Amino acid sequence: MNVIYIHGEDEQYANFVLDDAVLTIDGLQYNLVSLQKDEQSIINVIEEDMFIANIIIPPAKYEEIETSEMDDEERPIYKKIKNPLDLESVTLNLWKKEIKIKNESEKI
């Protein structure tokens, strides 16, 4: 998985872990395989009204496999099989976490 730190690596970002095809971002889990569609998917991750990340999943790729069946005109029938998700083609954009101030006395 490609990880891009939008504001440079010195900033504070959401914690993330990739375990097989399950991506966990600050406790929120995303099954990347089930989120993959026939077109590119972009999942925006929002936590406490803050945009913290987006996940970019490429479109699904398919392979046509010939079956042993024939159509009415004796042409082979093909079956479309979805290829496994290539996790290296997934991109995670991480956005700097903003520190929310609850009241004036908490300012640093």
Side-chain angles (χ1 to χ4, degrees), residues 73-87:
E73 296 176 13
E74 295 300 314
R75 294 179 298 203
I77 296 176
Y78 290 86
K79 183 177 180 180
K80 216 163 108 171
I81 305 290
K82 183 177 175 182
N83 291 338
L85 172 62
D86 175 13
L87 293 175

Side-chain angles (χ1 to χ4, degrees), residues 8-96:
E9 292 187 32
D10 294 337
E11 300 294 336
Q12 183 177 351
Y13 294 95
N15 295 315
F16 70 93
V17 175
L18 181 63
D19 184 17
D20 290 324
V22 177
L23 176 62
T24 304
I25 303 173
D26 276 1
L28 302 170
Q29 292 189 332
Y30 301 89
N31 184 322
L32 301 177
V33 171
S34 65
L35 291 170
Q36 186 180 38
K37 309 291 181 221
D38 288 340
E39 64 280 335
Q40 176 177 279
S41 299
I42 299 176
I43 294 91
N44 294 319
V45 181
I46 299 170
E47 182 179 84
E48 297 178 12
D49 295 328
M50 291 186 295
F51 183 74
I52 60 170
N54 62 5
I55 307 163
I56 303 170
I57 304 170
K61 294 182 180 180
Y62 294 88
E63 194 173 328
E64 288 188 351
I65 306 293
E66 188 174 335
T67 67
S68 58
E69 300 173 37
M70 299 287 190
D71 67 10
D72 294 341
E73 296 176 13
E74 295 300 314
R75 294 179 298 203
I77 296 176
Y78 290 86
K79 183 177 180 180
K80 216 163 108 171
I81 305 290
K82 183 177 175 182
N83 291 338
L85 172 62
D86 175 13
L87 293 175
E88 292 298 316
S89 65
V90 174
T91 299
L92 173 63
N93 291 324
L94 292 171
W95 297 83
K96 176 175 70 171

